[in-house]
Amino acid sequence: QAEQSAVEQGSSRTHMWLLAAASAIVLTPSPRVAITSPCAAVRMMADDDASPQSRAVKQQKREAVAAARRTTAAELTLSGEEVEALTAASKSLDPCWREGAAEDCPTALKSVFTQQPIDFFAALRNPQEDPDPAVWIGVRKTWPVLAERSDDDLLAALQPIKDVRVDKRSL
């Protein structure tokens, strides 16, 4: 009987330990979830980057910036040659870093997967992010007609070009 009591006591301790561990897991705060009750009901926080609300806000901001750039681009006086050069740059599959070894390439111009310089197409037509300022150096060197334009002018002029979707596989 003493042996059975020891087994029951061990089982009870194990059970209590498992409950404590489960509670700790459920009730441990995380930047992605907020605990609303001890019974493990959780909800996503509004400031979570992956939440639908956060994505919608970011999309609205991107659309507002794009609209402002379209307005600025309409006011710019770019020559046909400059528009052609910027369009060619946005469709170019040439690497945007040619200043030396790939190891010297700025991180923003490297592929996350291959650690090799990305092409102008990837750098200039990314729908989520603006091109890194280092990209414009390569654009100006490769297309000298754009050398006199500021980064802001090129970024604004790029917006209507980016609005026309291009499948990289067609290049």
Side-chain angles (χ1 to χ4, degrees):
Q1 197 169 42
E3 192 176 305
Q4 185 180 7
S5 176
V7 169
E8 286 175 6
Q9 218 175 22
S11 175
S12 177
R13 283 189 196 135
T14 303
H15 181 65
M16 293 300 288
W17 182 85
L18 287 173
L19 282 174
S23 296
I25 291 169
V26 169
L27 298 176
T28 300
S30 158
R32 296 184 59 110
V33 292
I35 305 302
T36 57
S37 74
C39 65
V42 297
R43 65 172 177 80
M44 297 302 291
M45 294 178 75
D47 62 357
D48 178 17
D49 286 343
S51 73
Q53 297 87 357
S54 178
R55 284 182 285 173
V57 167
K58 287 181 182 179
Q59 181 63 28
Q60 288 174 343
K61 287 180 182 177
R62 280 193 299 270
E63 289 171 5
V65 168
R69 286 184 181 152
R70 281 185 211 97
T71 302
T72 303
E75 296 169 358
L76 288 174
T77 53
L78 270 73
S79 69
E81 192 177 355
E82 288 174 318
V83 172
E84 283 180 30
L86 192 54
T87 302
S90 77
K91 293 180 180 180
S92 175
L93 298 179
D94 293 334
C96 59
W97 174 262
R98 299 183 208 167
E99 300 300 313
E103 297 82 33
D104 300 332
C105 179
T107 305
L109 301 182
K110 285 184 182 180
S111 166
V112 176
F113 302 106
T114 65
Q115 293 300 303
Q116 295 298 310
I118 58 175
D119 53 47
F120 285 110
F121 180 92
L124 297 175
R125 288 191 171 261
N126 184 335
Q128 307 296 322
E129 298 177 15
D130 287 342
D132 188 86
V135 171
W136 298 121
I137 296 167
V139 168
R140 289 185 185 98
K141 285 185 179 181
T142 308
W143 292 273
V145 71
L146 299 172
E148 299 300 316
R149 293 292 178 170
S150 69
D151 289 1
D152 291 336
D153 285 352
L154 292 174
L155 195 55
L158 181 64
Q159 187 60 54
I161 294 169
K162 281 174 62 170
D163 289 343
V164 177
R165 300 273 183 220
V166 176
D167 188 337
K168 190 173 187 175
R169 297 171 294 183
S170 69
L171 300 176

